[in-house]
Amino acid sequence: MKRYLGIAAAVATTALVLSGCSGGGGESDGTTIKVAYSKFGNFTQMDDHMKAVKEQYEAANEGMTVELVPIEALEADYFTKLALMNQSAATAPDVMYEDTFKVKSDAEAGYILPLDEYIDEWDDWEQFPDNAREAGAGDDGKIYGVPMGTDTRAIWYNKQLLADAGLTVPWEPKSWQDILDAAEAVKQKNPETIPFNIYSGKGQSEGASMQGFQMLLSGTEDTLYNSDEKKWVTGSQGFIDSLQFITDVYQGDLGPTPQQALDKNVGTTINSEWIPQNKLAMSLDGSWVSGTWLETGTTPWPEWNDVMGVAAMPTQDGQGAGRTSMSGGWTLAMGAKTKNADAAWDFIETALDKDNSLDYDVAASQIAVRTDVGTDPAYIESNPTFEFFSELVKDTHFRPATSDYSKISNEITVAMEAVMTGQQTPEEAAKAYDTAITGIVGDDNVTTKSD
Amino acid sequence: MTTVTTPAPVGGAERSPNRNRPGEKKRRTLVALARSAPLLPAVLLLAVFLFGPVVSSLYGSLTNASLSGSTATNVEFVGVKNYVDLFSDPDFPKAVLLTVVFLVASAILGQNVVGLGLSVLMQSANGVVRGVVRTIVVTAWVLPEIVASFAAYAFFHDGGTLNEMLGVFGIQGPNWLYTFPMFAVILANVWRGTAFSMLVYTAALNDVPPEITEAAEVDGATGWQRFRLVTVPMIRRSISTNLMLTTLQTLSVFALIFVMTGGGPGTDSTTLPLLAYQEAFKFGELGFGTAIATILLLVGALFSVFYIRALKPEVD
Amino acid sequence: MTAPVLEKPPSRAAEAGSRLSMASPNRRMMKGLSNGVIAIVGFAFLLPMVWLVLASVDTSATLSVKWPETFSLDNFTAILTPERSLIPLLNSTLLSGGCAILTVVASLLAAYPLSRYKMRVNKPFLYGVLFGTCLPITAMMVPVYSLFVAFNLIDSVGGTILFLAATSLPMAIWMMKNFMDSVPVSLEEAAWTDGASAMTTLRTIVVPLMRPGIGVVFIFVFIQTWGNFFIPFVLLLSPDKQPAAVSIFSFFGQYGAVAYGQLAAFSLLYSVPVLALYVLVTRLGGGSFALAGAVKG
């Protein structure tokens, strides 16, 4: 038995040692480009797009092959799988579909390469507005990802329900108060209807943080993060005001009950049940929502464009540009372990030229980032609301997605939940948030000055 | 007739008459090796694929490894910092409490009691009823986890089966997943796992000779007394082992709770596996997540030691 | 004499009970009560599955349980394409079957010394190995992934089967050992005195008597592996090697929208093979399936 223990130990040690050194010697000898991306559910557009680009690229580059690696998984799992792949040279992709949300932390981890030297020579880069360029930027200011498309957020509203409540349609709120007044009016007219939805609470996680809270905060004088000093903002009035708005909606019966809102799957319920059944008058949601109601969506609703209107989210008192939005979106990034950076860049360039970007954005209901695509008639005509949502790109904001961002975002949802359930006042919740994030990033990384 | 090379009966070589002969130790070692040879394939698989990663991840809990960000490539040894952070995390004590509650209510009380109860009742039940119910109960167990999780979610959901049924009786059911999340997930886990206990206890009860219980009855013992004083001690070993197995399985339940409540509202149903998922997955903090998993392991070990001590399955 | 069998048809205890029931009204009431309680419990267990069935035949299914406006099999036809369900189910069968076979063989071999030769390391080995599997795979994913990269086993179905078997071994060894314990050594001793080796007696005497038990272990491992999502997800890259447990997520749309009708239909499809296997093993085992002797400790 002892001998066996000895052998077992030897084998295990060998295994440990081997696992330490990542084998190296992958199949990519410089003539194969590995492209990893996401594919699931009815999101097959990226797959179609990549297949088309693969053909174009191989035709234009004799001797080069493209190996497509679609990863069938939902978001969190996709990020995990990609991170695992990136850790070993044998499996690391040359080009990957990278969420803007992950760019900064992946750059820090050394998974992706800066693209500045290629971008400087690329004429098409002119077509990308300044704030969109930021989306693919790392903490060091270098560009790590080229945006493929994005999304913006605004208020979807039921034209009939608002008209019945005495509001003028098309509806164009100019301040937060306008929204609250409209919600009151709807409730007066019909107490059964849910006047206004804004995602909130821990259960909705990033949805609450981005579609809910940051849509509000970005319309105030304050910001979440001071990008000059690279510090997180605490104690801002804008933060408290935003929490107050949430309180007004949830504690004032102007929205769903906290119970309904905290259900994990409420997003599906809202877009496939409440809205088509005229039970919800207004909803702060994203540009992709109409995708649910198309023929190819999960709940086809042919009359959606007649029933629904869209209005931009106003800033707090109508200051500044008067409107605000938040954007996420995906980019194409270059793997740090690539053996042929030039070839990888050629692929990216091909995938994101005007025609390919146009095809992809239309197919995937993405909001165009490139100005030339956004003004192209084929794009505008593909979905009645696209022109509107594209217009918002110039006033949109991106999240400060540093590697601490997800924990900070989590604290935002905790604060939101505390006020929507009435457990804390906005001031108390804001203080708790300040303490929490100081604990996460340290005293040196917080400031009271907004950008 | 009896040659040295045949496998000796159980009892080992200690009583061999050749105990003190020279070379005996070597022979015994060789014999022991030969006898253990069949263990080799299993040991090899376990050593290569499990032992290494388990040790490696236990070590990982002492680092600040993460999936992304700077600590993905520059991993630092941080000693017990993860554990210290864990114990001072306000969510942690609650997670431990919820895990223990979940464990006791759904595995120990729920699955074992219902399983035992079912198998006892089935002994005096009609054959058809027995067969049908057994199949239904086992189906719940055999359903793939994600499917069962969704079915349970749809059941407890505000507009789901449970509230619809209560509505038939005029009762307005609450939003179970919001107001009583632990209750809902406990019931769901009992639904899921009772089959295993039921099958184990059915087999165990079948091995109890009826003469003893009959004798007890003749002596005037009531049904309950017979059960408590005769039957239970006889199936003691099965109870102990089943408790241990269901405990270990229940401790790692994740998908069921995650799909039904996501750990919410707030952290009201965040058990340790969900906490580990949040840290390791959502935030990519592998070191921290592994520390939580290690604690889970310890909880399981503690319970098992308790079962073995309390029920003394060795002594028969 | 107590050979391990799948549950003996109504045990002697039950026979005695029912004989007495003819004699006394009390017993008949007990029987009626038992039937009643069991039936209620069975009904309770059936309820959550109602939604699954209803949603699968409803093209506009939602999470709320409702009678479909129009019964239709569209959900099923929509999913019965090779890519969406047939290939993943095939992959699942391959992975689960391969893993179960390998596990049964390895655990059978391993259980023999553990059962026949009382060595001091038996209990510690069993317990230790059982606890090792307590550690969730999510905590181990990075070292496992690196290990597989080092062995060049990433995206290899064979490699994944090996790993799945390794994780199923502890429970399997435990169960096998217990089944084997119920086969008396005396049966083998006779053969040993005639000069047979241990492996021979294992093959010719022990295994045939353990057949129901082997069936139990096989199906147990198969079921566990059938539902395993994470391991194939981490270790396999090509989408055409992914099993159904992974591809079920293809029914979740982007931004969280879920096609519930199709999800329910797929779930039913996904569950049928394991249910069928359970019924099959039960029939072959000659009676209802029970973990007889599997768990004694």
Side-chain angles (χ1 to χ4, degrees), chain C residues 237-297:
Chain C
L237 288 185
S238 324
D240 48 0
K241 293 185 186 158
Q242 296 286 4
V246 173
S247 70
I248 197 172
F249 287 97
S250 65
F251 297 100
F252 292 70
Q254 216 183 4
Y255 300 111
V258 183
Y260 286 114
Q262 293 184 347
L263 179 67
F266 186 81
S267 306
L268 288 178
L269 208 61
Y270 181 38
S271 313
V272 160
V274 273
L275 282 174
L277 191 65
Y278 162 72
V279 169
L280 190 71
V281 170
T282 313
R283 293 266 167 273
L284 286 183
S288 21
F289 177 98
L291 292 171
V295 173
K296 278 229 178 81

Side-chain angles (χ1 to χ4, degrees), chain B residues 10 35 38 123-126 134 143-144 153-154 159 191 199 203 206 211 214 217 237-238 241 248 281 286 297, chain C residues 7 11-12 14 16 27 31 34-35 45 51 63 65 109 116-117 131 134 142 270-271 288-289 292 295-297:
Chain B
V10 292
R35 289 185 196 162
Q123 285 195 319
S124 47
N126 172 288
R134 177 172 287 141
L143 280 179
Y153 175 80
W191 172 67
L199 296 173
N206 269 348
E211 298 91 45
E214 279 170 24
E217 187 178 6
R237 284 172 75 202
S238 295
T241 320
L248 293 179
F281 259 114
L286 294 176
L297 204 75
Chain C
E7 185 216 295
S11 75
R12 281 143 56 208
R27 284 302 164 101
K31 182 164 179 171
S34 302
N35 280 332
F45 271 72
W51 175 81
L63 272 176
V65 68
L109 287 174
R116 292 332 192 202
Y117 310 129
F131 280 119
C134 234
V142 173
Y270 181 38
S271 313
S288 21
F289 177 98
V295 173
K296 278 229 178 81

